[in-house]
Amino acid sequence: MRRKSAAEHLRNERIILVICTVLAFVGAIFTASVLFSAIASAIDLSDGTFTVMSSFALCAGCFSAGAAAAKRRGRNGIKTGLACGGIIFLFTLIFGLIFVKSFSVGGFFTKILIIFICSALGGIFGVNSPQRFR
């Protein structure tokens, strides 16, 4: 059995980092969406409330992705969170243009602020939280 080279080890670590980050992002959005769906089925809500709920779910997903990535990496929390936020924003923008087929400047800047602020805060939280498991 041969030993892994440093490049192979780094590649595997990056793959694990991406998988953990995506799972944290999707898991947080799924949990928030299930919770908000239960609330919406119990009481009658306005359209504006659904917009706030979807923004909060996106915020929770970005925070958890930034925290998971920064905790896994262990350094550069803000940079790691902003990098996660940039990737999430690009996917949100692309999927929004494909599926919704519309673009508003206000929605663009609101989403970019929500994503980058929550991802950076998640990165700060993740890098400063204690390491329990690796």
Side-chain angles (χ1 to χ4, degrees):
M1 189 162 114
R2 73 178 182 93
R3 296 185 83 156
K4 290 183 182 179
S5 68
E8 289 174 329
H9 182 68
L10 184 62
R11 186 191 71 215
N12 290 343
E13 185 62 33
R14 286 182 179 163
I15 290 170
I16 291 171
L17 176 73
V18 169
I19 290 170
C20 290
T21 303
V22 168
L23 287 176
F25 177 73
V26 171
I29 287 184
F30 179 75
T31 304
S33 297
V34 167
L35 177 70
F36 294 148
S37 296
I39 291 171
S41 67
I43 55 177
D44 187 30
L45 299 174
S46 66
D47 290 339
T49 309
F50 286 113
T51 305
V52 171
M53 286 181 174
S54 67
S55 296
F56 184 75
L58 181 64
C59 182
C62 291
F63 182 85
S64 66
K71 187 170 184 94
R72 183 85 185 156
R73 237 178 128 208
R75 62 185 190 281
N76 297 333
I78 293 176
K79 247 193 240 182
T80 304
L82 289 175
C84 287
I87 293 167
I88 290 168
F89 178 72
L90 286 176
F91 278 112
T92 304
L93 181 67
I94 290 168
F95 286 133
L97 289 174
I98 290 171
F99 294 117
V100 179
K101 295 180 181 158
S102 68
F103 179 83
S104 70
V105 176
F108 176 82
F109 286 114
T110 303
K111 278 190 179 66
I112 201 166
L113 280 174
I114 287 173
I115 290 172
F116 281 129
I117 289 172
C118 292
S119 296
L121 288 175
I124 293 168
F125 179 78
V127 84
N128 289 321
S129 64
Q131 290 278 350
R132 290 195 177 93
F133 303 104
R134 182 98 168 124

